[in-house]
Amino acid sequence: MDDSTSRTIGRTALAAPAPADRSERHSIQSVDRAIALLEAIAEAGGESTLTELSRRTKLNISTCHHLLSTLVGRGYVAKVPVRRSYALGARILYLSNACLTQVDLPVRAKPFIEQINAATGETVHLAVLQGDTMVKVAKRESRHPVRVDTGALGKSDAAHATATGKAMLAWLPEDEMRRVLAHGMARYTPNTITEWPALIEELRHVRRNGYSTDREEFQPGVICIGAAIRDHNGAVVGAISASTPAMRASDEHLTLVREQVVGAVRALSAGLGASQYPHRPQAAE
């Protein structure tokens, strides 16, 4: 075998894909096909039959079925037995909300937070649920010399004891509430709610009134009022609250804080595509 032949064989050997490369390409193809199925379901209005999905994606029935079974198992697709069809699953909404709350929501909320702060002079917070964890993602400090120290941004285990936490918990199914509070309901002050029946009753009032109140439940001497932010699907994606020292918490001032918070979250929610809130807020019971 001459040198030219050796060089040709060497180049051919180097160019030939290794088994790992073929496996990687196959894996990428599977991901691409799974995404195509999700997009096909969305383009069909959120629900479609197996036959129709096969036609739309140009994949055979067997391939579609296997990929859909995997997506169903992960929660990205849901089976609709009565109509023998497939719909987008709850995990899609989770990803959408995660993107909104982590990237877009703080930017959109900033002018509303500033508005509440300017009108009330009080400290204003923005919090979201990331998975089963409440996270404070933005804060505007009080303009008053005497102000509330609400701590740093980040995760919190006090959803049951804060206005932002209760504003979001009130609209969750009970099993999701329990997941958020899986660590338990710690007592922070003598006013903290630590029993499920009492918390469920409190959240009923939140839904009825349209806002939540922290009556010195997280910090002694601090009262907060919060309300939930909704997206275009009507799902709660976060909450805004304002905190005032009890020494300033006259009925007149609390009314102003409540009106500013509720008005701001309604306007912010409308900007996110929420058509309406389920009710008009009432005065505290």
Side-chain angles (χ1 to χ4, degrees):
M1 182 169 60
D2 61 23
D3 290 343
S4 63
T5 304
S6 299
R7 285 195 296 273
T8 301
I9 293 173
R11 285 196 297 271
T12 303
L14 289 172
D21 294 334
R22 287 194 295 270
S23 176
E24 183 179 349
R25 283 206 302 273
H26 177 72
S27 177
I28 292 172
Q29 183 184 61
S30 297
V31 172
D32 186 67
R33 288 174 170 179
I35 292 173
L37 282 169
L38 291 174
E39 292 176 344
I41 295 173
E43 290 165 1
E47 184 179 334
S48 184
T49 64
L50 177 60
T51 302
E52 178 62 16
L53 289 172
S54 176
R55 185 191 67 78
R56 283 175 175 267
T57 59
K58 296 180 172 59
L59 298 173
N60 64 54
I61 293 287
S62 177
T63 299
C64 284
H65 181 266
H66 288 306
L67 290 170
L68 287 167
S69 295
T70 300
L71 291 169
V72 168
R74 295 298 300 270
Y76 291 99
V77 171
K79 294 182 74 171
V80 186
V82 176
R83 293 189 289 276
R84 295 185 179 181
S85 59
Y86 293 87
L88 293 177
R91 292 294 292 180
I92 295 293
L93 183 60
Y94 167 76
L95 292 179
S96 173
N97 287 344
C99 178
L100 175 67
T101 56
Q102 292 178 29
V103 179
D104 195 38
L105 188 58
V107 175
R108 287 177 175 264
K110 185 176 180 180
F112 297 97
I113 291 173
E114 293 292 338
Q115 172 187 314
I116 298 169
N117 176 259
T120 67
E122 303 296 358
T123 302
V124 186
H125 317 89
L126 170 67
V128 301
L129 282 177
Q130 293 181 356
D132 296 333
T133 305
M134 189 179 81
V135 182
K136 184 163 60 176
V137 295
K139 178 174 71 170
R140 178 67 163 85
E141 293 287 0
S142 170
R143 296 169 181 246
H144 295 291
V146 178
R147 63 184 63 178
V148 173
D149 180 9
T150 57
L153 302 181
K155 296 181 179 180
S156 170
D157 290 332
H160 63 294
T162 61
T164 49
K166 289 193 284 185
M168 292 185 285
L169 286 175
W171 304 100
L172 297 179
E174 186 170 337
D175 61 335
E176 292 187 32
M177 291 183 204
R178 290 184 180 275
R179 281 199 295 272
V180 173
L181 298 172
H183 56 274
M185 292 185 282
R187 182 176 294 282
Y188 297 97
T189 77
N191 291 347
T192 305
I193 297 172
T194 59
E195 301 294 333
W196 271 105
L199 180 62
I200 295 299
E201 178 64 13
E202 172 74 4
L203 298 180
R204 185 182 69 82
H205 288 294
V206 174
R207 290 191 296 273
R208 176 177 176 179
N209 296 333
Y211 63 90
S212 60
T213 306
D214 160 11
R215 307 169 188 84
E216 300 185 65
E217 295 163 53
F218 184 57
Q219 291 177 280
V222 177
I223 295 175
C224 307
I225 293 176
I229 305 164
R230 297 177 181 275
D231 68 6
H232 63 285
N233 292 311
V236 171
V237 295
I240 289 177
S241 72
S243 303
T244 182
M247 59 178 285
R248 281 201 295 273
S250 65
D251 289 345
E252 181 181 4
H253 188 57
L254 289 179
T255 297
L256 171 64
V257 172
R258 182 176 68 245
E259 289 175 346
Q260 287 295 317
V261 169
V262 172
V265 298
R266 283 176 171 271
L268 176 56
S269 298
L272 294 173
S275 57
Q276 61 182 13
Y277 264 54
H279 47 68
R280 290 229 172 246
Q282 305 172 13
E285 298 177 347

mmCIF file of all heavy atoms in Angstrom, residues 218-269:
data_model
loop_
_atom_site.group_PDB
_atom_site.id
_atom_site.type_symbol
_atom_site.label_atom_id
_atom_site.label_comp_id
_atom_site.label_asym_id
_atom_site.label_seq_id
_atom_site.Cartn_x
_atom_site.Cartn_y
_atom_site.Cartn_z
ATOM 1 N N PHE A 218 -45.400 38.332 60.989
ATOM 2 C CA PHE A 218 -44.022 37.980 60.631
ATOM 3 C C PHE A 218 -43.010 38.769 61.446
ATOM 4 O O PHE A 218 -41.979 38.237 61.868
ATOM 5 C CB PHE A 218 -43.796 38.221 59.142
ATOM 6 C CG PHE A 218 -42.433 37.794 58.658
ATOM 7 C CD1 PHE A 218 -41.998 36.483 58.822
ATOM 8 C CD2 PHE A 218 -41.578 38.707 58.055
ATOM 9 C CE1 PHE A 218 -40.732 36.088 58.389
ATOM 10 C CE2 PHE A 218 -40.320 38.315 57.616
ATOM 11 C CZ PHE A 218 -39.893 37.001 57.789
ATOM 12 N N GLN A 219 -43.310 40.051 61.667
ATOM 13 C CA GLN A 219 -42.442 40.894 62.485
ATOM 14 C C GLN A 219 -43.295 41.680 63.469
ATOM 15 O O GLN A 219 -44.308 42.283 63.069
ATOM 16 C CB GLN A 219 -41.665 41.885 61.612
ATOM 17 C CG GLN A 219 -40.614 41.262 60.713
ATOM 18 C CD GLN A 219 -39.957 42.315 59.839
ATOM 19 O OE1 GLN A 219 -40.500 42.734 58.826
ATOM 20 N NE2 GLN A 219 -38.782 42.761 60.249
ATOM 21 N N PRO A 220 -42.929 41.711 64.731
ATOM 22 C CA PRO A 220 -43.669 42.532 65.690
ATOM 23 C C PRO A 220 -43.636 43.996 65.277
ATOM 24 O O PRO A 220 -42.618 44.515 64.821
ATOM 25 C CB PRO A 220 -42.911 42.319 67.004
ATOM 26 C CG PRO A 220 -42.167 41.036 66.820
ATOM 27 C CD PRO A 220 -41.812 40.980 65.359
ATOM 28 N N GLY A 221 -44.782 44.649 65.395
ATOM 29 C CA GLY A 221 -44.844 46.073 65.092
ATOM 30 C C GLY A 221 -44.913 46.415 63.622
ATOM 31 O O GLY A 221 -44.795 47.588 63.255
ATOM 32 N N VAL A 222 -45.127 45.408 62.757
ATOM 33 C CA VAL A 222 -45.181 45.651 61.308
ATOM 34 C C VAL A 222 -46.480 45.100 60.735
ATOM 35 O O VAL A 222 -46.836 43.948 60.975
ATOM 36 C CB VAL A 222 -43.993 44.990 60.580
ATOM 37 C CG1 VAL A 222 -44.105 45.202 59.069
ATOM 38 C CG2 VAL A 222 -42.675 45.546 61.100
ATOM 39 N N ILE A 223 -47.174 45.921 59.978
ATOM 40 C CA ILE A 223 -48.418 45.516 59.305
ATOM 41 C C ILE A 223 -48.215 45.654 57.801
ATOM 42 O O ILE A 223 -47.691 46.679 57.325
ATOM 43 C CB ILE A 223 -49.605 46.378 59.780
ATOM 44 C CG1 ILE A 223 -49.856 46.121 61.271
ATOM 45 C CG2 ILE A 223 -50.862 46.067 58.962
ATOM 46 C CD1 ILE A 223 -50.933 46.998 61.875
ATOM 47 N N CYS A 224 -48.630 44.635 57.047
ATOM 48 C CA CYS A 224 -48.452 44.626 55.587
ATOM 49 C C CYS A 224 -49.777 44.320 54.909
ATOM 50 O O CYS A 224 -50.602 43.566 55.437
ATOM 51 C CB CYS A 224 -47.438 43.575 55.155
ATOM 52 S SG CYS A 224 -45.851 43.682 55.990
ATOM 53 N N ILE A 225 -49.941 44.880 53.731
ATOM 54 C CA ILE A 225 -51.103 44.581 52.886
ATOM 55 C C ILE A 225 -50.585 44.162 51.514
ATOM 56 O O ILE A 225 -49.711 44.832 50.939
ATOM 57 C CB ILE A 225 -52.037 45.795 52.760
ATOM 58 C CG1 ILE A 225 -52.672 46.098 54.125
ATOM 59 C CG2 ILE A 225 -53.134 45.542 51.712
ATOM 60 C CD1 ILE A 225 -53.542 47.331 54.148
ATOM 61 N N GLY A 226 -51.110 43.047 51.005
ATOM 62 C CA GLY A 226 -50.638 42.527 49.721
ATOM 63 C C GLY A 226 -51.773 42.104 48.819
ATOM 64 O O GLY A 226 -52.910 41.919 49.271
ATOM 65 N N ALA A 227 -51.467 41.922 47.545
ATOM 66 C CA ALA A 227 -52.463 41.443 46.577
ATOM 67 C C ALA A 227 -51.737 40.690 45.468
ATOM 68 O O ALA A 227 -50.560 40.939 45.185
ATOM 69 C CB ALA A 227 -53.267 42.610 45.992
ATOM 70 N N ALA A 228 -52.459 39.756 44.860
ATOM 71 C CA ALA A 228 -51.870 38.853 43.869
ATOM 72 C C ALA A 228 -51.859 39.460 42.476
ATOM 73 O O ALA A 228 -52.771 40.197 42.090
ATOM 74 C CB ALA A 228 -52.643 37.536 43.852
ATOM 75 N N ILE A 229 -50.835 39.120 41.710
ATOM 76 C CA ILE A 229 -50.691 39.526 40.308
ATOM 77 C C ILE A 229 -51.080 38.343 39.434
ATOM 78 O O ILE A 229 -50.643 37.214 39.674
ATOM 79 C CB ILE A 229 -49.238 39.920 40.003
ATOM 80 C CG1 ILE A 229 -48.761 41.002 40.962
ATOM 81 C CG2 ILE A 229 -49.095 40.377 38.548
ATOM 82 C CD1 ILE A 229 -47.239 41.165 40.987
ATOM 83 N N ARG A 230 -51.874 38.591 38.396
ATOM 84 C CA ARG A 230 -52.328 37.526 37.498
ATOM 85 C C ARG A 230 -51.807 37.739 36.085
ATOM 86 O O ARG A 230 -51.582 38.865 35.664
ATOM 87 C CB ARG A 230 -53.857 37.457 37.480
ATOM 88 C CG ARG A 230 -54.459 37.108 38.831
ATOM 89 C CD ARG A 230 -55.983 37.124 38.788
ATOM 90 N NE ARG A 230 -56.513 36.814 40.092
ATOM 91 C CZ ARG A 230 -56.700 35.588 40.556
ATOM 92 N NH1 ARG A 230 -56.399 34.552 39.793
ATOM 93 N NH2 ARG A 230 -57.168 35.378 41.764
ATOM 94 N N ASP A 231 -51.677 36.620 35.360
ATOM 95 C CA ASP A 231 -51.242 36.708 33.967
ATOM 96 C C ASP A 231 -52.436 36.553 33.033
ATOM 97 O O ASP A 231 -53.594 36.580 33.467
ATOM 98 C CB ASP A 231 -50.151 35.680 33.670
ATOM 99 C CG ASP A 231 -50.671 34.242 33.724
ATOM 100 O OD1 ASP A 231 -51.904 34.032 33.888
ATOM 101 O OD2 ASP A 231 -49.843 33.311 33.601
ATOM 102 N N HIS A 232 -52.170 36.377 31.737
ATOM 103 C CA HIS A 232 -53.222 36.318 30.734
ATOM 104 C C HIS A 232 -54.123 35.095 30.888
ATOM 105 O O HIS A 232 -55.245 35.074 30.386
ATOM 106 C CB HIS A 232 -52.619 36.333 29.329
ATOM 107 C CG HIS A 232 -51.762 35.144 29.047
ATOM 108 N ND1 HIS A 232 -50.486 35.003 29.591
ATOM 109 C CD2 HIS A 232 -51.962 34.027 28.307
ATOM 110 C CE1 HIS A 232 -49.961 33.863 29.186
ATOM 111 N NE2 HIS A 232 -50.827 33.249 28.414
ATOM 112 N N ASN A 233 -53.639 34.071 31.595
ATOM 113 C CA ASN A 233 -54.466 32.886 31.850
ATOM 114 C C ASN A 233 -55.260 33.007 33.135
ATOM 115 O O ASN A 233 -56.008 32.093 33.489
ATOM 116 C CB ASN A 233 -53.583 31.633 31.924
ATOM 117 C CG ASN A 233 -52.976 31.280 30.584
ATOM 118 O OD1 ASN A 233 -53.684 31.235 29.579
ATOM 119 N ND2 ASN A 233 -51.673 31.040 30.561
ATOM 120 N N GLY A 234 -55.079 34.101 33.858
ATOM 121 C CA GLY A 234 -55.735 34.251 35.147
ATOM 122 C C GLY A 234 -54.957 33.608 36.281
ATOM 123 O O GLY A 234 -55.389 33.646 37.431
ATOM 124 N N ALA A 235 -53.798 33.010 35.978
ATOM 125 C CA ALA A 235 -52.990 32.349 37.010
ATOM 126 C C ALA A 235 -52.215 33.380 37.819
ATOM 127 O O ALA A 235 -51.754 34.395 37.287
ATOM 128 C CB ALA A 235 -52.019 31.362 36.366
ATOM 129 N N VAL A 236 -52.061 33.122 39.107
ATOM 130 C CA VAL A 236 -51.286 34.003 39.974
ATOM 131 C C VAL A 236 -49.800 33.786 39.705
ATOM 132 O O VAL A 236 -49.308 32.660 39.773
ATOM 133 C CB VAL A 236 -51.611 33.730 41.457
ATOM 134 C CG1 VAL A 236 -50.653 34.489 42.361
ATOM 135 C CG2 VAL A 236 -53.042 34.138 41.766
ATOM 136 N N VAL A 237 -49.079 34.867 39.381
ATOM 137 C CA VAL A 237 -47.652 34.771 39.062
ATOM 138 C C VAL A 237 -46.784 35.500 40.078
ATOM 139 O O VAL A 237 -45.552 35.432 40.009
ATOM 140 C CB VAL A 237 -47.359 35.311 37.648
ATOM 141 C CG1 VAL A 237 -48.025 34.441 36.595
ATOM 142 C CG2 VAL A 237 -47.807 36.774 37.510
ATOM 143 N N GLY A 238 -47.404 36.188 41.022
ATOM 144 C CA GLY A 238 -46.629 36.909 42.019
ATOM 145 C C GLY A 238 -47.548 37.732 42.896
ATOM 146 O O GLY A 238 -48.779 37.631 42.807
ATOM 147 N N ALA A 239 -46.958 38.548 43.758
ATOM 148 C CA ALA A 239 -47.744 39.414 44.631
ATOM 149 C C ALA A 239 -46.912 40.630 45.012
ATOM 150 O O ALA A 239 -45.678 40.564 45.094
ATOM 151 C CB ALA A 239 -48.182 38.667 45.885
ATOM 152 N N ILE A 240 -47.598 41.732 45.247
ATOM 153 C CA ILE A 240 -46.970 42.961 45.735
ATOM 154 C C ILE A 240 -47.558 43.268 47.102
ATOM 155 O O ILE A 240 -48.754 43.094 47.328
ATOM 156 C CB ILE A 240 -47.208 44.135 44.766
ATOM 157 C CG1 ILE A 240 -46.394 43.948 43.481
ATOM 158 C CG2 ILE A 240 -46.841 45.468 45.417
ATOM 159 C CD1 ILE A 240 -46.635 45.023 42.436
ATOM 160 N N SER A 241 -46.703 43.747 48.014
ATOM 161 C CA SER A 241 -47.193 44.171 49.323
ATOM 162 C C SER A 241 -46.487 45.448 49.737
ATOM 163 O O SER A 241 -45.395 45.769 49.242
ATOM 164 C CB SER A 241 -46.973 43.086 50.380
ATOM 165 O OG SER A 241 -45.594 42.979 50.697
ATOM 166 N N ALA A 242 -47.108 46.172 50.660
ATOM 167 C CA ALA A 242 -46.505 47.349 51.273
ATOM 168 C C ALA A 242 -46.539 47.159 52.781
ATOM 169 O O ALA A 242 -47.540 46.689 53.327
ATOM 170 C CB ALA A 242 -47.246 48.617 50.866
ATOM 171 N N SER A 243 -45.435 47.509 53.445
ATOM 172 C CA SER A 243 -45.293 47.297 54.884
ATOM 173 C C SER A 243 -45.195 48.635 55.606
ATOM 174 O O SER A 243 -44.462 49.533 55.172
ATOM 175 C CB SER A 243 -44.023 46.493 55.179
ATOM 176 O OG SER A 243 -44.051 45.261 54.494
ATOM 177 N N THR A 244 -45.911 48.750 56.718
ATOM 178 C CA THR A 244 -45.880 49.975 57.503
ATOM 179 C C THR A 244 -45.689 49.654 58.980
ATOM 180 O O THR A 244 -46.197 48.642 59.462
ATOM 181 C CB THR A 244 -47.193 50.778 57.313
ATOM 182 O OG1 THR A 244 -47.120 51.992 58.064
ATOM 183 C CG2 THR A 244 -48.395 49.986 57.759
ATOM 184 N N PRO A 245 -44.949 50.477 59.709
ATOM 185 C CA PRO A 245 -44.870 50.280 61.156
ATOM 186 C C PRO A 245 -46.254 50.453 61.774
ATOM 187 O O PRO A 245 -47.057 51.274 61.305
ATOM 188 C CB PRO A 245 -43.917 51.384 61.618
ATOM 189 C CG PRO A 245 -43.173 51.804 60.400
ATOM 190 C CD PRO A 245 -44.115 51.607 59.258
ATOM 191 N N ALA A 246 -46.542 49.703 62.810
ATOM 192 C CA ALA A 246 -47.858 49.776 63.457
ATOM 193 C C ALA A 246 -48.155 51.192 63.944
ATOM 194 O O ALA A 246 -49.317 51.616 63.975
ATOM 195 C CB ALA A 246 -47.909 48.783 64.620
ATOM 196 N N MET A 247 -47.106 51.969 64.276
ATOM 197 C CA MET A 247 -47.309 53.336 64.757
ATOM 198 C C MET A 247 -47.939 54.234 63.686
ATOM 199 O O MET A 247 -48.558 55.253 64.018
ATOM 200 C CB MET A 247 -45.970 53.935 65.192
ATOM 201 C CG MET A 247 -44.925 53.980 64.085
ATOM 202 S SD MET A 247 -43.355 54.737 64.578
ATOM 203 C CE MET A 247 -43.823 56.453 64.596
ATOM 204 N N ARG A 248 -47.807 53.872 62.385
ATOM 205 C CA ARG A 248 -48.416 54.668 61.322
ATOM 206 C C ARG A 248 -49.692 54.023 60.782
ATOM 207 O O ARG A 248 -50.298 54.541 59.836
ATOM 208 C CB ARG A 248 -47.427 54.844 60.159
ATOM 209 C CG ARG A 248 -46.383 55.889 60.384
ATOM 210 C CD ARG A 248 -45.757 56.388 59.085
ATOM 211 N NE ARG A 248 -45.015 55.376 58.365
ATOM 212 C CZ ARG A 248 -43.735 55.087 58.561
ATOM 213 N NH1 ARG A 248 -43.054 55.729 59.494
ATOM 214 N NH2 ARG A 248 -43.128 54.151 57.858
ATOM 215 N N ALA A 249 -50.089 52.891 61.339
ATOM 216 C CA ALA A 249 -51.166 52.093 60.756
ATOM 217 C C ALA A 249 -52.557 52.557 61.215
ATOM 218 O O ALA A 249 -53.350 51.776 61.760
ATOM 219 C CB ALA A 249 -50.965 50.622 61.105
ATOM 220 N N SER A 250 -52.849 53.821 60.970
ATOM 221 C CA SER A 250 -54.213 54.306 61.224
ATOM 222 C C SER A 250 -55.146 53.738 60.164
ATOM 223 O O SER A 250 -54.701 53.272 59.105
ATOM 224 C CB SER A 250 -54.238 55.833 61.171
ATOM 225 O OG SER A 250 -53.917 56.277 59.851
ATOM 226 N N ASP A 251 -56.439 53.769 60.426
ATOM 227 C CA ASP A 251 -57.400 53.279 59.435
ATOM 228 C C ASP A 251 -57.254 54.034 58.114
ATOM 229 O O ASP A 251 -57.314 53.431 57.035
ATOM 230 C CB ASP A 251 -58.836 53.442 59.964
ATOM 231 C CG ASP A 251 -59.154 52.472 61.094
ATOM 232 O OD1 ASP A 251 -58.392 51.497 61.268
ATOM 233 O OD2 ASP A 251 -60.157 52.701 61.802
ATOM 234 N N GLU A 252 -57.029 55.331 58.206
ATOM 235 C CA GLU A 252 -56.895 56.151 56.993
ATOM 236 C C GLU A 252 -55.666 55.736 56.193
ATOM 237 O O GLU A 252 -55.729 55.597 54.965
ATOM 238 C CB GLU A 252 -56.809 57.625 57.382
ATOM 239 C CG GLU A 252 -56.699 58.563 56.182
ATOM 240 C CD GLU A 252 -56.600 60.016 56.589
ATOM 241 O OE1 GLU A 252 -56.532 60.288 57.816
ATOM 242 O OE2 GLU A 252 -56.577 60.886 55.704
ATOM 243 N N HIS A 253 -54.556 55.527 56.879
ATOM 244 C CA HIS A 253 -53.329 55.166 56.174
ATOM 245 C C HIS A 253 -53.427 53.764 55.585
ATOM 246 O O HIS A 253 -53.001 53.531 54.448
ATOM 247 C CB HIS A 253 -52.137 55.252 57.124
ATOM 248 C CG HIS A 253 -50.818 55.083 56.443
ATOM 249 N ND1 HIS A 253 -50.391 55.890 55.399
ATOM 250 C CD2 HIS A 253 -49.807 54.174 56.632
ATOM 251 C CE1 HIS A 253 -49.197 55.520 54.987
ATOM 252 N NE2 HIS A 253 -48.825 54.460 55.720
ATOM 253 N N LEU A 254 -54.004 52.828 56.334
ATOM 254 C CA LEU A 254 -54.153 51.465 55.816
ATOM 255 C C LEU A 254 -55.086 51.425 54.612
ATOM 256 O O LEU A 254 -54.886 50.640 53.685
ATOM 257 C CB LEU A 254 -54.649 50.525 56.910
ATOM 258 C CG LEU A 254 -53.649 50.200 58.019
ATOM 259 C CD1 LEU A 254 -54.280 49.270 59.043
ATOM 260 C CD2 LEU A 254 -52.375 49.574 57.449
ATOM 261 N N THR A 255 -56.099 52.279 54.621
ATOM 262 C CA THR A 255 -56.987 52.368 53.459
ATOM 263 C C THR A 255 -56.216 52.851 52.238
ATOM 264 O O THR A 255 -56.366 52.321 51.129
ATOM 265 C CB THR A 255 -58.166 53.316 53.744
ATOM 266 O OG1 THR A 255 -58.954 52.782 54.801
ATOM 267 C CG2 THR A 255 -59.050 53.480 52.508
ATOM 268 N N LEU A 256 -55.368 53.861 52.435
ATOM 269 C CA LEU A 256 -54.534 54.357 51.333
ATOM 270 C C LEU A 256 -53.609 53.257 50.822
ATOM 271 O O LEU A 256 -53.492 53.049 49.600
ATOM 272 C CB LEU A 256 -53.704 55.556 51.806
ATOM 273 C CG LEU A 256 -52.623 56.057 50.827
ATOM 274 C CD1 LEU A 256 -53.268 56.595 49.554
ATOM 275 C CD2 LEU A 256 -51.750 57.122 51.496
ATOM 276 N N VAL A 257 -52.944 52.541 51.718
ATOM 277 C CA VAL A 257 -52.030 51.470 51.319
ATOM 278 C C VAL A 257 -52.789 50.401 50.540
ATOM 279 O O VAL A 257 -52.332 49.944 49.485
ATOM 280 C CB VAL A 257 -51.345 50.850 52.556
ATOM 281 C CG1 VAL A 257 -50.560 49.608 52.155
ATOM 282 C CG2 VAL A 257 -50.423 51.869 53.223
ATOM 283 N N ARG A 258 -53.958 50.014 51.060
ATOM 284 C CA ARG A 258 -54.752 48.975 50.394
ATOM 285 C C ARG A 258 -55.156 49.419 48.989
ATOM 286 O O ARG A 258 -55.032 48.650 48.021
ATOM 287 C CB ARG A 258 -55.991 48.648 51.217
ATOM 288 C CG ARG A 258 -56.836 47.532 50.613
ATOM 289 C CD ARG A 258 -58.016 47.172 51.501
ATOM 290 N NE ARG A 258 -59.009 48.234 51.572
ATOM 291 C CZ ARG A 258 -59.313 48.910 52.667
ATOM 292 N NH1 ARG A 258 -58.676 48.678 53.809
ATOM 293 N NH2 ARG A 258 -60.237 49.853 52.647
ATOM 294 N N GLU A 259 -55.638 50.631 48.868
ATOM 295 C CA GLU A 259 -56.075 51.123 47.563
ATOM 296 C C GLU A 259 -54.907 51.182 46.578
ATOM 297 O O GLU A 259 -55.062 50.851 45.388
ATOM 298 C CB GLU A 259 -56.714 52.504 47.715
ATOM 299 C CG GLU A 259 -58.071 52.460 48.419
ATOM 300 C CD GLU A 259 -58.624 53.853 48.677
ATOM 301 O OE1 GLU A 259 -57.852 54.842 48.553
ATOM 302 O OE2 GLU A 259 -59.822 53.953 49.013
ATOM 303 N N GLN A 260 -53.744 51.600 47.039
ATOM 304 C CA GLN A 260 -52.577 51.696 46.166
ATOM 305 C C GLN A 260 -52.100 50.317 45.723
ATOM 306 O O GLN A 260 -51.797 50.096 44.549
ATOM 307 C CB GLN A 260 -51.451 52.441 46.885
ATOM 308 C CG GLN A 260 -51.685 53.931 47.011
ATOM 309 C CD GLN A 260 -51.704 54.626 45.668
ATOM 310 O OE1 GLN A 260 -50.872 54.352 44.801
ATOM 311 N NE2 GLN A 260 -52.649 55.525 45.475
ATOM 312 N N VAL A 261 -52.034 49.368 46.664
ATOM 313 C CA VAL A 261 -51.565 48.022 46.323
ATOM 314 C C VAL A 261 -52.527 47.334 45.378
ATOM 315 O O VAL A 261 -52.122 46.784 44.333
ATOM 316 C CB VAL A 261 -51.356 47.184 47.605
ATOM 317 C CG1 VAL A 261 -51.126 45.720 47.253
ATOM 318 C CG2 VAL A 261 -50.183 47.726 48.414
ATOM 319 N N VAL A 262 -53.802 47.342 45.713
ATOM 320 C CA VAL A 262 -54.791 46.648 44.877
ATOM 321 C C VAL A 262 -54.885 47.312 43.502
ATOM 322 O O VAL A 262 -54.940 46.623 42.472
ATOM 323 C CB VAL A 262 -56.168 46.629 45.565
ATOM 324 C CG1 VAL A 262 -57.241 46.091 44.620
ATOM 325 C CG2 VAL A 262 -56.119 45.769 46.834
ATOM 326 N N GLY A 263 -54.877 48.637 43.470
ATOM 327 C CA GLY A 263 -54.935 49.337 42.185
ATOM 328 C C GLY A 263 -53.728 49.031 41.314
ATOM 329 O O GLY A 263 -53.856 48.826 40.097
ATOM 330 N N ALA A 264 -52.558 48.966 41.931
ATOM 331 C CA ALA A 264 -51.334 48.689 41.169
ATOM 332 C C ALA A 264 -51.335 47.279 40.603
ATOM 333 O O ALA A 264 -50.991 47.071 39.429
ATOM 334 C CB ALA A 264 -50.117 48.907 42.058
ATOM 335 N N VAL A 265 -51.715 46.280 41.414
ATOM 336 C CA VAL A 265 -51.678 44.905 40.903
ATOM 337 C C VAL A 265 -52.748 44.693 39.839
ATOM 338 O O VAL A 265 -52.558 43.901 38.904
ATOM 339 C CB VAL A 265 -51.806 43.848 42.024
ATOM 340 C CG1 VAL A 265 -50.655 43.952 42.994
ATOM 341 C CG2 VAL A 265 -53.134 43.931 42.737
ATOM 342 N N ARG A 266 -53.857 45.398 39.932
ATOM 343 C CA ARG A 266 -54.874 45.292 38.877
ATOM 344 C C ARG A 266 -54.338 45.848 37.562
ATOM 345 O O ARG A 266 -54.506 45.245 36.493
ATOM 346 C CB ARG A 266 -56.146 46.032 39.272
ATOM 347 C CG ARG A 266 -57.014 45.280 40.273
ATOM 348 C CD ARG A 266 -58.217 46.121 40.698
ATOM 349 N NE ARG A 266 -59.129 45.309 41.475
ATOM 350 C CZ ARG A 266 -60.120 44.581 40.968
ATOM 351 N NH1 ARG A 266 -60.320 44.564 39.660
ATOM 352 N NH2 ARG A 266 -60.912 43.851 41.739
ATOM 353 N N ALA A 267 -53.686 46.991 37.635
ATOM 354 C CA ALA A 267 -53.128 47.600 36.418
ATOM 355 C C ALA A 267 -51.998 46.742 35.856
ATOM 356 O O ALA A 267 -51.907 46.543 34.637
ATOM 357 C CB ALA A 267 -52.633 49.015 36.729
ATOM 358 N N LEU A 268 -51.151 46.239 36.732
ATOM 359 C CA LEU A 268 -50.048 45.378 36.286
ATOM 360 C C LEU A 268 -50.585 44.100 35.660
ATOM 361 O O LEU A 268 -50.110 43.665 34.603
ATOM 362 C CB LEU A 268 -49.145 45.049 37.470
ATOM 363 C CG LEU A 268 -47.984 44.073 37.232
ATOM 364 C CD1 LEU A 268 -47.086 44.552 36.096
ATOM 365 C CD2 LEU A 268 -47.168 43.904 38.505
ATOM 366 N N SER A 269 -51.582 43.500 36.286
ATOM 367 C CA SER A 269 -52.181 42.275 35.748
ATOM 368 C C SER A 269 -52.816 42.528 34.390
ATOM 369 O O SER A 269 -52.703 41.702 33.475
ATOM 370 C CB SER A 269 -53.226 41.720 36.728
ATOM 371 O OG SER A 269 -52.629 41.363 37.959
#
